[in-house]
Amino acid sequence: MVSPADLAVPVVAAPMAGGPSTPALVAAVTDAGGLGFLAAGNQTVDAVRDQIAVTRTLTSGAFGANLFVPELREDDASHREIKRVEAYRASLAAWADEFGVELPLPHPDDDAWDAKLDLLEADPVAVVSFTFGIPSSKVVHRLQRVGTSVWASVTSVADAVVAASSGVDALVVQGTQAGGHRATSHCIDMPNEASTIALVAAVRWVVDLPVIAAGGVMDSDGLHDAIMAGATAVQCGTAFLLTPEAGTSAVVRAALVDDVFTETVVTRSFTGRLARGLANRWTTEFPDAPAFYPAVHQVTSPLRAAAAEAGDAQRVHLWAGTGWRQARAEPAADVVRFLAGP
Ligand SMILES: Cc1cc2nc3c(=O)[nH]c(=O)nc-3n(C[C@H](O)[C@H](O)[C@H](O)COP(=O)(O)O)c2cc1C
């Protein structure tokens, strides 16, 4: 089993769904002594199977895959929330017309959870990490039995305790600076606003598991501080977004180096789940999307895709952490070396 303590360089490339994580990025980070991660969330099982196969042709080293834990809500509140999603969809109609796209109605979707677990059991990778919820001990043991190390992403001490009790091998502790979605267990949860360092220290105080610190680590000082706070390794996403190996879209690459963007916000605007990205016209004009994932994600997807195609960064999700200005447009192996420091 791969432990974060085994890494030659204590740097994990964050799984980044929606394009940035590619087999090339995974292999480059692994071969540089870190740990590359495939993002298996929001992809078909076939696409995940293919990405694992391609990654194996690029590296013989260890790498991970990340899954979204589905939250299927059937309660009364969810029926009210669906009505709000439909209203949100209606409020986006003018933009949809402008781009000539149809916005779909939301539908239940568990992101092919069972099929992805079957795949990762039959064709194991070194590490499987989970976000958007804590996997049950049954799921954890199923993967551990085939030699996989299981990591859970958490944003609070309370969730760290739950994850520890389900038997995971390590915790990815996500602080407020992190880019992308908050790893809260429930869509409606408000994330802890603690910094990565503060949260790592708090979790280490209570839970005796290796911790991988995620959020705002952009250089070797950040890595050093995280290790001093008790982390065994760091997980970096934003630091890799501009590397040539990343599948970051052209519109996001351009936005990350455009002075027009001056701050990040944590918003439900694009997917219904809180996520940190660059503030733009969408987050300003539609700040109050309902707390319902993946319903809002489904409704807004065609609009975001059309805007990306048109190069309109004001109407695309621009996931990035607070350290985005320090992202380096250099090969991923150089970024790993830069993060590791002298
Ligand atoms: C573009 C992007 C996509 C992300 N997608 C995922 C994902 O699919 N699964 C996941 O567990 N975390 C995802 N994250 C969050 C990262 O795991 C990690 O918490 C975050 O990148 C750390 O903060 P940093 O971006 O400041 O390095 C994503 C982050 C970014 C920036």
Side-chain angles (χ1 to χ4, degrees):
M1 285 223 201
V2 171
S3 153
D6 300 334
L7 300 176
V9 182
V11 172
V12 176
M16 293 187 280
S21 292
T22 60
L25 178 61
V26 172
V29 172
T30 287
D31 288 346
L35 184 75
F37 245 92
L38 289 172
N42 271 349
Q43 297 214 60
T44 64
V45 189
D46 287 343
V48 177
R49 185 184 296 107
D50 287 353
Q51 287 208 338
I52 291 173
V54 174
T55 306
R56 289 199 179 116
T57 67
L58 300 176
T59 181
S60 55
F63 62 91
N66 172 257
L67 291 181
F68 294 171
V69 180
E71 183 181 16
L72 293 176
R73 289 165 55 190
E74 292 291 345
D75 52 349
D76 286 349
S78 73
H79 291 295
R80 276 197 303 277
E81 216 57 36
I82 276 291
K83 292 276 165 242
R84 293 192 59 216
V85 175
E86 285 165 9
Y88 188 59
R89 174 175 174 266
S91 71
L92 294 168
W95 283 4
D97 286 348
E98 190 186 326
F99 283 103
V101 293
E102 182 76 26
L103 302 184
L105 287 166
H107 55 273
D109 179 12
D110 71 354
D111 199 28
W113 170 249
D114 288 330
K116 286 179 184 174
L117 285 175
D118 288 348
L119 169 70
L120 292 168
E121 185 181 30
D123 187 14
V125 295
V127 183
V128 172
S129 74
F130 292 87
T131 190
F132 301 171
I134 311 297
S136 67
S137 49
K138 199 169 153 207
V139 166
V140 172
H141 294 147
R142 206 175 140 192
L143 294 170
Q144 287 170 334
R145 260 199 305 276
V146 294
T148 297
S149 182
V150 181
W151 300 358
S153 311
V154 298
T155 61
S156 68
V157 172
D159 276 353
V161 171
V162 174
S165 70
S166 76
V168 300
D169 300 291
L171 300 172
V172 179
V173 173
Q174 188 193 51
T176 187
Q177 300 99 319
H181 284 106
R182 311 298 77 181
T184 52
S185 284
H186 305 286
C187 180
I188 53 164
D189 292 347
M190 292 307 287
N192 191 326
E193 287 182 359
S195 72
T196 303
I197 297 298
L199 192 56
V200 165
V203 167
R204 288 285 290 136
W205 190 255
V206 176
V207 179
D208 189 20
L209 280 174
V211 160
I212 299 99
V217 178
M218 301 300 293
D219 56 23
S220 58
D221 285 349
L223 184 147
H224 178 261
D225 291 349
I227 303 288
M228 285 292 118
T232 304
V234 294
Q235 176 162 301
C236 303
T238 303
F240 290 103
L241 281 174
L242 292 179
T243 63
E245 294 92 339
T248 312
S249 66
V251 69
V252 174
R253 280 181 194 271
L256 287 169
V257 295
D258 187 338
D259 289 345
V260 155
F261 299 99
T262 55
E263 60 175 350
T264 62
V265 284
V266 176
T267 181
R268 296 189 191 276
S269 303
F270 299 106
T271 69
R273 247 194 180 274
L274 287 168
R276 185 181 291 282
L278 301 182
N280 63 5
R281 184 175 165 196
W282 191 320
T283 64
T284 309
E285 290 190 22
F286 296 99
D288 295 321
F292 208 143
Y293 178 91
V296 175
H297 164 76
Q298 292 164 348
V299 164
T300 64
S301 278
L303 185 49
R304 291 182 278 142
E309 185 70 32
D312 180 353
Q314 295 296 339
R315 286 179 282 183
V316 178
H317 59 285
L318 302 167
W319 301 152
T322 55
W324 93 96
R325 286 199 195 282
Q326 288 168 268
R328 299 162 79 87
E330 292 174 1
D334 291 347
V335 172
V336 172
R337 279 188 281 276
F338 176 75
L339 287 164

